[in-house]
Each structure stands twice: as C-alpha cells, then as structure tokens.
Amino acid sequence: MSTIINDIEIIKAETSKIKDIDFDNLKFGSVFSDHMLECDFKDGKWQKPKIVPYHPITLDPSAKIFHYGQSVFEGMKAYKDTNNDVFLFRPTDNIKRLNISAKRMAIPELPENYFMDGLKALLKVDEAWIPTNEGSSLYIRPFIFASGNGFHASPANEYKFIICTAPSGSYFSGKVKVLIEETYSRSANGGVGFAKAGGNYAGQFYPTQLAIDKGYQQVIWTDDNTHEYIEEAGAMNIFVRINDTLITGPTSDRILDGITRKSIIAIAESKGIPVEVRKITVKEVVDAAKNGELKEMFGAGTAAVISPIAGFGYKNEDFDLPELKETYASLLKKQITDIQTNKSEDSFGWRYKL
Amino acid sequence: MSTIINDIEIIKAETSKIKDIDFDNLKFGSVFSDHMLECDFKDGKWQKPKIVPYHPITLDPSAKIFHYGQSVFEGMKAYKDTNNDVFLFRPTDNIKRLNISAKRMAIPELPENYFMDGLKALLKVDEAWIPTNEGSSLYIRPFIFASGNGFHASPANEYKFIICTAPSGSYFSGKVKVLIEETYSRSANGGVGFAKAGGNYAGQFYPTQLAIDKGYQQVIWTDDNTHEYIEEAGAMNIFVRINDTLITGPTSDRILDGITRKSIIAIAESKGIPVEVRKITVKEVVDAAKNGELKEMFGAGTAAVISPIAGFGYKNEDFDLPELKETYASLLKKQITDIQTNKSEDSFGWRYKL
C-alpha cells in the first residue's frame, strides 16, 4: 500500500526495526533506518524517486559498479532540536556537489528536485530515527552507482540513486594522530580527487593501514609530484593553526570542496580569526612544530565535523601538538554545531528547516 | 545436485542459454555463459570457491563496493583449437597481478590455487561456450569487490571473488583514432594506476567521452605533472614505432604492467625488431609524425590484443599515420594470437593447455 507525499510515492515497511536500536551507544554508519529512497536511471532518463522499505539490491554480476568503479556519493546529517524540529545543513551544496562528482565520473546528473523532494519525504517517514542525544545525528548517505551491465570499459546505460540514513555517533573516538605521507598519493592533477568518487576512498585504505600499523589513525595526503605540500586528510579537509593564524589549502582538482571546510573558514573570519587559504608546505608545519608556533591541527568534514589532531609523524619523527585550554577547534566546532542543531542564531542562512 | 571436480563443488544450471547465442555475431562482453565461480571472504579468510549457475548478486545498500570503490579485476581469454583443446595465455601472471592489485586496494589476497583450480572447473563446465570462430574467444573476467557493509570509510570485512565468462568478438571495430590528453590525467605518482582497480576506469570515462565527441575513440594518457610524456591508452598499453624502432613506456606505479605488453616486447625482440622501453615524449611523437618517421602506433591489451591506431590528435591538430603494407602491428598480432590459439610453436612457454 502506498501513499504520496510531495509527489513522491511512499511504500512503508510493514514493521519497524527501531526498537532494536540502542540510541545511547551508536557507532558511525552501521545501523540503518527503516526506509530508503530509490531512483533509477533507465531509458535515457532519471525515473521518479520512491521511498521504499530498506532492502537489498540485486545486480547482475556484470553490473559496471563491480568492474569499473563508477560511483559517487555525498555525506549529510539531519539534526533534531528540543522542539523536535528537523534541520539539514546547507543541503543545496550537497546536491550541487553530487552532480559535479557525477559529471566527472560520466554519470548522468540528477534533477535537483528529485534529490530534495525525495530526501524530505524520506526524513518525514523516518523522522523517529533522528537521534536527539548530544553528539549524535542521522547520517544521510546519498549515492549513485552504475547498475547497467556489460564488460565493455565504458559508462553504464543504467544507474541507481539511493539515499540511506543511519543514526550515528561520532566518527572518530579518542585522540587522532596523523602521518604526513611521503610515498603514496591520493589524487592526480587533472584526476578525480575533487569528486566524491568511490575509488578515491579505496585507494587510501592501504596507505592508511600502513599508517595505522605505525600507530596513527589517518594519513595527511601531500601532492603526488613533490610530497612537499599538505593537501587533505582522507575523509576530511585539513586546517593548521600557526600562532594565531588558521591556514587551509585551496581547493583544486585534487582536493574536495568540503562544505564543513568552507563553513569553518566563514565562521573563523566572522570571529576575527586571521584565515589564510593558501598552499601549506610540510616544511613550514614541521618548522612551526619545532619552534612552538604550531598551535593546532584539525580535520574538517561532515562525518567528523571537526576532529582535533593530537600529533603527527613525518620522516620517522613524531611531533606532539600542545594541549591548549582554548582551541580554535573547540570554538569552531561549537559554533558550527550550534548552528546545525538550532542552538544559535544562523546569520549565514545555512540551516535548512524541514 | 552437486558434483566435485578437482576438489571444487559444482552446482549445474538446470537449463542452458547457449542455444540463444549467435556465435557468428558476438559483441564484446555482453552475453554470459551458464555458470560462474563464486568465492566469499568472510570470518577472516577466503572460503572455498564453488561453480554455480550464473545468477544475480544481492547486497545490502551499505555494501562498501557502492560507496568506496573497493574492487579489482582481471581480463583473460580462453581459446579452442581445431582439436577442441582449450588454452589459456600466461594465466599465472593474471593471478599474481590480481593479488598485486588486491593488496594496493586493501583487499585480502586470494590463494592462487583457488583461482586456478576454480577457473579450470568453470571452463570445464562451460567448455561449449568457448567460441571457435576466427577472432572470437571466451573472455574471462575474474573480479573481487567489497561486499561487507557499513558507511565507515575503511576496508570491508567481507569480499566476493567471482569469475564470469563471456563469448566475445573484437573489442574495437573500425579504425581507432586517439587523442593525446593535455588536461585530464589517469593516475598519480604513488597512486593506484598500476592496479586493475575499478576506479581507474570510471575516472577515464568523462575525458574519453570528450574525446569521442571530437571524433576520437580513445585517450592517450600523459603524466599528470607535465603532460609531456605518453603513458598508456586507457584499457591498453601503448606502442610507438619510429622508423624501425618499437618504443613503449616503462611500467611504473602509474602504468599497468600489461601481459600483452610484455609478450609483445618479447616477441618483437625475438624477431630482431629493435625495442626500446623508455619514456616517450609527446614532442618526439609529434615531431616524428611531422617528418614522416612515425610509422605506427598501436594499443596492446587482453581485450583488444593489438589495436592499430590510424591517427592521433594533439593541440587541435590531427596527424594521420601512414597505411603501410606490412606493419609491426599485424606481424606481432599474428605471432601472439597464433601462440594463443595453438597455431604455432610456443617457444616462450606461455600457452597453458587445460
């Protein structure tokens, strides 16, 4: 039996799994809400999205996703305030970036209203899944992959756009130590590093595992040509504070245009923090660490929001960052999450009430 | 009902689709044999492979293949001679390369005997699917992908190794014209370009589509830093003949170690053709084209074997290659396919009789 909300057909699950979920002990992205959005590209166009019970996907073994990695995704979060009002954060930017990623991966771009109307309907149906615990949120994962068949190395003729949601706790637990990479690289000039393409992530797993084996949690990627410039931190953009100045690298075809990244830049500037968006050399970070001018490093991304870095390794040397009482990381994290969760005014117009 | 061949369990399809196949008009990789090999990595180890009817794969929407592109593959061919004996070509090299690719993508390496014993059993069961028409073969696609679940950007805890086969005709039809790329790149230093990782292919689709729109069929990739060096041709390695010398680029972490590539180098050397394995600049190719010293260019790979290039574009200029009566491309293609199809002696020991 189906109903229609905002022109979106909704087929409800017969039973809910929500009673099985321990909302006080949520991990990141490992339990999934009752419903999902499903939308097919076939016969040369995107068909209308539907909300359907969360269900397995069935594909031919020759589906191109298995062979040629044609996939893109986004990460978003929904928050619920004390009035049970539901908010998204800059969702239009996710839609636009999904289509930028899709274009680079030769995936047909999605009509923006299919994304937004569909997501609204999905969150309406699964509203009870949005956590209210401090630090938790409903992680939203929109993704598109090549579902069309055949071994010819060319774009598929069919795709699936899906949105799943997962009530989630924090992405990292404990102190994050990072390793500045000297050998491996994440992306090429003229490559796909700016896109949220699946293959960008798989390519990082092995070097990250090598770093984990050495006692670090994440790799700080450097440019593939000289390894002299700091680029990004895998699932996050990277910020460095030298004395009182906050520095982050410019976006490029190698670096993801992070929504948290640009929000942090805007908030920091509004607070009078000196911000520089420019190339950062590994040398200046190491020098600043040695002479005590390196005050903070942190990662920024939707999943982790802001993830303070406790220290870094470079060329077999370890550098600890100072433990400051008041950090830019905690100030900026409070500012951005207060906006996201409707605890503060939103002078930027970023919050999006459903 | 199942049987056991070489310690491999075989569950046969109830009916065969083979009567529906037009073996005289085979495309590349678009119809699939009755059976497939299926092998799961779970509980920390690769389980025993089975031969089962070709069937759809069912995955949770959170399966990591959809999100993080963790996949690798191989391409092989099986040939049948006039005695109905079946041959593979250097299969051990495919197994080793699959595991090299797997390691780079943080996928657990596969026991070599699971691959080979499983493939032998599969080809035994689907022997009737191996075409005998000139220029056709049974294309074999071994692949591994992340089937484990969860949105955390880290390696999956479960994987599927599958081998499907597809009776196939030629990969390219007609003359191939290529565009030497000046903007986009295929791979980074320290990246995953040497691996047969899914994402490497998806990243090429958009630039290739731009080339197709300009009247070319393939892109010749150049290095991501200067675009001054010729690297490879997407699904193929690239060879250039200047005067009588055959030149191909060295393998690196950016360039696939092609089995056809190294076989061609060995055959050419055995025939007394001067071969140089060294970096090739775009400038020397363009200069040679202008002064008439560029005699041939061709791609080499399992799918296309040898694919002669009729001309190339660079910086809005088009260069036609001469139409020679006797080409290295046709000489070398005959040599290699005669070995593959058991029409000639195999002094290299490459042919593998099943």
Side-chain angles (χ1 to χ4, degrees), chain A residues 38 40 56-66 143 145-149 158-160 162, chain B residues 36 54-61 63 65-66 143 145 160 162:
Chain A
E38 197 170 11
D40 286 313
I57 306 296
T58 299
L59 295 168
D60 195 80
S62 74
K64 293 203 178 189
I65 181 61
F66 296 133
F143 61 107
F145 66 88
S147 54
N149 302 336
E158 296 189 355
Y159 297 85
K160 270 189 186 292
I162 291 174
Chain B
M36 61 194 250
Y54 189 88
H55 69 92
I57 307 296
T58 299
L59 295 168
D60 194 80
I65 182 61
F66 296 133
F143 60 107
F145 66 88
K160 271 190 185 293
I162 291 173

Side-chain angles (χ1 to χ4, degrees), chain B residues 100-121:
Chain B
I100 289 169
S101 299
K103 185 176 176 187
R104 182 62 181 87
M105 304 313 284
I107 293 172
E109 291 167 61
L110 189 75
E112 292 192 4
N113 64 317
Y114 280 18
F115 185 115
M116 203 59 207
D117 293 346
L119 178 57
K120 281 183 193 169

Side-chain angles (χ1 to χ4, degrees), chain A residues 218-332:
Chain A
Q218 283 262 305
V219 167
I220 301 289
W221 296 102
T222 49
D223 68 291
D224 81 305
N225 189 34
T226 67
H227 295 291
E228 286 175 11
Y229 295 92
I230 282 181
E231 304 228 306
E232 66 167 89
M236 305 185 290
N237 293 108
I238 186 97
F239 284 80
V240 173
R241 174 183 172 186
I242 295 180
N243 292 321
D244 286 340
T245 304
L246 193 59
I247 314 168
T248 193
T251 55
S252 71
D253 56 4
R254 295 188 311 276
I255 301 182
L256 190 79
D257 184 10
I259 294 166
T260 309
R261 172 189 171 279
K262 65 184 179 186
S263 304
I264 285 169
I265 293 169
I267 293 173
E269 284 175 341
S270 79
K271 293 281 156 195
I273 293 172
V275 180
E276 294 178 8
V277 178
R278 62 167 173 83
K279 287 186 159 193
I280 311 168
T281 64
V282 178
K283 185 173 182 306
E284 69 179 309
V285 173
V286 171
D287 287 350
K290 284 181 177 167
N291 67 25
E293 294 181 346
L294 183 68
K295 304 299 183 191
E296 293 181 59
M297 291 173 74
F298 57 84
T302 295
V305 190
I306 287 181
S307 179
I309 291 168
F312 68 91
Y314 182 62
K315 287 197 193 290
N316 297 316
E317 210 175 337
D318 249 27
F319 300 88
D320 289 326
L321 272 81
E323 294 198 21
L324 305 179
K325 275 196 183 155
E326 293 191 348
T327 63
Y328 285 176
S330 56
L331 169 77
L332 295 166

Side-chain angles (χ1 to χ4, degrees), chain A residues 16-35 78-80 84 125-139 165-170:
Chain A
S16 173
K17 303 168 294 187
I18 199 164
K19 63 184 182 308
D20 304 331
I21 309 301
D22 177 2
F23 278 83
D24 291 325
N25 292 290
L26 291 170
K27 286 189 272 187
F28 179 84
S30 57
V31 294
F32 309 101
S33 312
D34 285 329
H35 298 86
Y79 302 91
K80 204 182 259 183
N84 282 328
V125 172
D126 279 339
E127 196 179 330
W129 287 82
I130 304 171
T132 50
N133 316 31
E134 185 75 25
S136 295
S137 60
L138 188 73
Y139 183 77
T165 66
S168 292
S170 61

Side-chain angles (χ1 to χ4, degrees), chain A residues 205-217:
Chain A
F205 291 167
Y206 176 69
T208 302
Q209 190 54 53
L210 296 180
I212 290 169
D213 293 344
K214 291 180 184 166
Y216 305 93
Q217 282 77 51

